[in-house]
Each structure stands twice: as structure tokens, then as C-alpha cells.
Amino acid sequence: MSNDLTATTKTPIVTRPNQIVTIERHILERQTAYPEARGDLTQLLYDIALTGKLIGREVNKAGLVDILGETGITNVQGERVQKLDDYANECFIKTFDHGGLLCVMASEEEDEAVPIPSRFECGDYVLLFDPLDGSSNIDANVSVGSIWSIYKRKTASGPGTIEDLLRQGSEQVAAGYIAYGSSTMMVYTTGTGVSGFTLDPSIGEFLLSHPDIQMPKQGSIYSLNEGYRNLLFDSTARFLDYLQEEDAETGRPYSGRYIGSMVADVHRTLLYGGIFMYPASKKAPGGKLRLMYEANPMGFIMEQAGGMASTGSERILDVQATELHQRVPLYMGSEETVKLAIEFETGVR
Ligand code: AHG
Ligand code: MN
Ligand code: MN
């Protein structure tokens, strides 16, 4: 499934709103739109949902660690896993390393590419992920999440290589996130729109709660870390000043909202509109957020929901990756607001 606009994708079966639809059924319905599909991507998405349930269970217990003692989680080496980042990372790797669907993986928590162990078959897909995003907020009971991005492999066969991992975001075949907040939600796209599912923990099923999410074209919320205001480059500071000026006609001033977990800030932007940005600054000249497992998957979601995702001068999904953990400045959200940001960042305004 490609998000290449020239691809001959049929209109997916439109799920009726207010019906009880599990994520597995939703994924399968979309597979039927691709007669040539073998079900590998479907299985990958099922396993993403499983990983989200496993991580969500431990995240929701995180607050009890002090009361219950250590997390009680042990990894495959039998070591006590002290940090949820490590647990989430282990969950992804141990869920996906043996299914024969991937040829290579990459994780924010792993410096190098994660190979498929030689005892297992290699498959035709590539998975990159941020196993736990916003983890510095865990102790404050603030929403955190997992972000993931899937490509078809580029090399012909055998173990995947860095060539399979360093891609343009426009080649993604699926992407999304799981948000561990007041409820656990999974939001994903395979290039035919964005859908959101809320976990019913009593039955362990993600149920369709947000069919076909469309982002408002114009929003009234801006989101960035204003602690770095004095470190912003002039173009960005002027954009911020503009958003904060009174002007009833253009819906300003915008309200400021910043959670500090990308998944939570992006999820709010997706549903309410406005803009989430992590611009370049004197503190982070290349931006802070990572292209391959934060900016690209969220950029795919934003575009599929009718929004935009830019570096300030270039479409995020057009950036050709050169390093696995490279960072990019990012502005994503409602089309009109992101276009405004680009005008300021490129000197038009
Ligand atoms: P991670 O926890 O995966 O390292 O990501 C943290 C990121 C992202 O979640 C958030 O948008 C950003 O860090 C916040 O950075 P600041 O604390 O510099 O605002
Ligand atoms: Mn992150
Ligand atoms: Mn992370």
C-alpha cells in the first residue's frame, strides 16, 4: 500500500460510523482493497496493535512502581528492566524479530540498525519506531506514546541493510502511533485516510472511535516549547509574534498549548487543528525531533488527515534521510497555519 498519489488505490470500504469495528476488522477491510496483498502488512499492523497493548499495560502501572517495587519486568536476558523505554523497546523487537515479515528494524533506543536474527526468515517490510515517546513525562502521569513507520524493503532479498532504512517519508506504506493517556488509542494510516481506535481494556480490543479523521484547515492553537523563545531564530520569533497578535479576522491570538510529549501534542493538533512545531534554534540548529521515527510517521498522518508537515522550507516526506537518527526542524498541523509558518521561515513575510 503506497501513499504515492499515482498509485491505483481503490476507495476503501467506508466503515459505518457508530458500528462496533475492531482494529483487526478495519485493517482486514482495507486489505481487501488490494487484491494482490498477501496479508503481510495486515499481520504487521495486527502486531503493532498487540505491542501497543503490552506497552500500555506497563505504562499504566508505572505510577505504582514505587508502591509495587521494581517494574517486575524482566527482559529476555532475565535482567530487571529498570526503565519503561527499555521495556517498550524490547516489546517491539521481540514482537517483530521472528515473524518473517521484516528484513530489518530501527529504534530510537538502538544506535545501529536492528537485524533479524539469522535463525529467522527475512520478509519484505522495514519497521522504524520510537518505542516510548515523551518518556521524561512518565512520572508526572502525562500522556506518552509509541510512534512507528513501515516501508516496503528496497534491497531485493536477504537481511535488510541501511539502504532499506534511509528512505523518503513519501515511501511509507503505513504509519501511526499509540497514545497512552486517559485511554490507550491507536491512530494509523495506510495511505487511504486516518482512523483512530480506543482500547477497551475489559476485552483487550481496540475499537473504532475516530473513523476517517479530518484535521480542521484552520486552527487556533500553537504548540512549541516557549522556554527556548530567546533562542529562536528571528524568522520563527516573528511567526510567534504574529500568532500572538490580536486580529479577530484571522482568528488570532492563538492559544498556547504544549505537553512536551510529541504524540500528545500531535494527537491534539490532529483533532483540534492549529500547529505543533519544534523549530531549529540556537539550542538545536537542526531541530530536535528525529526524521525517521517521529517526523515522517507523524507527517504521513498529518497529510492523510488533510494537514501539512514541513521543515519550514521543505515537505517533511520529501526529505531524503542520510543518517538513521537525523533530526529535522518541524512544523505540522492545519494547512493554513503551516503555510503561514513557511512564509515566515522562507522570508516571504
Ligand atoms: P523521546 O521521549 O522519544 O526522546 O521524545 C521526546 C521529544 C518529544 O516527545 C517532545 O515533543 C520533545 O521531546 C520535547 O522536547 P523539549 O523537552 O525540548 O520541549
Ligand atoms: Mn520521541
Ligand atoms: Mn522515545
Side-chain angles (χ1 to χ4, degrees), residues 129-309:
F129 55 91
D130 175 357
L132 201 64
D133 170 72
S135 49
S136 60
N137 289 302
I138 285 255
D139 294 345
N141 201 21
V142 170
S143 292
V144 293
S146 302
I147 311 171
W148 49 273
S149 171
I150 298 175
Y151 296 80
K152 288 284 287 208
R153 71 179 300 163
K154 213 166 182 176
T155 54
S157 60
T161 68
I162 194 71
E163 187 191 345
D164 292 300
L165 290 164
L166 298 183
R167 311 289 285 270
Q168 278 181 303
S170 55
E171 297 172 71
Q172 292 174 99
V173 293
Y177 57 86
I178 302 114
Y180 312 111
S182 51
S183 59
T184 296
M185 268 199 76
M186 177 154 155
V187 174
Y188 86 100
T189 182
T190 54
T192 54
V194 178
S195 302
F197 300 79
T198 301
L199 181 67
D200 177 339
S202 66
I203 56 172
E205 285 285 1
F206 278 108
L207 300 178
L208 181 64
S209 52
H210 296 71
D212 195 19
I213 299 173
Q214 288 297 318
M215 188 185 321
K217 285 292 176 210
Q218 179 73 35
S220 59
I221 296 173
Y222 75 87
S223 180
L224 86 159
N225 185 335
E226 293 202 62
Y228 308 141
R229 171 101 197 208
N230 294 333
L231 297 172
L232 293 176
F233 293 121
D234 180 53
S235 54
T236 315
R238 287 190 300 105
F239 174 51
L240 207 47
D241 290 340
Y242 175 83
L243 293 179
Q244 293 172 335
E245 280 159 10
E246 290 268 357
D247 180 325
E249 195 184 312
T250 57
R252 291 178 288 150
Y254 275 44
S255 298
R257 294 281 186 281
Y258 190 67
I259 301 166
S261 281
M262 182 187 194
V263 168
D265 282 315
V266 166
H267 187 62
R268 182 205 54 247
T269 306
L270 180 67
L271 298 183
Y272 295 176
I275 188 166
F276 167 69
M277 48 189 148
Y278 207 107
S281 70
K282 293 158 198 147
K283 172 180 168 62
K288 171 183 181 182
L289 299 177
R290 278 55 60 104
L291 173 65
M292 292 312 294
Y293 41 79
E294 290 174 319
N296 273 335
M298 293 310 207
F300 191 12
I301 291 281
M302 287 280 144
E303 290 194 358
Q304 285 292 312
M308 273 183 85

Side-chain angles (χ1 to χ4, degrees), residues 1 8-16 23-43 45-46 188 190 192:
M1 301 177 197
T8 51
T9 49
K10 292 189 187 139
T11 312
I13 300 162
V14 177
T15 304
R16 282 72 48 203
I23 193 165
E24 287 82 6
R25 171 140 165 239
H26 191 270
I27 293 166
L28 206 50
E29 279 183 350
R30 265 136 192 78
Q31 178 192 320
T32 54
Y34 301 85
E36 75 286 1
R38 293 188 318 226
D40 289 359
L41 182 58
T42 295
Q43 184 58 58
L45 294 171
Y46 286 176
Y188 86 100
T190 54
T192 54

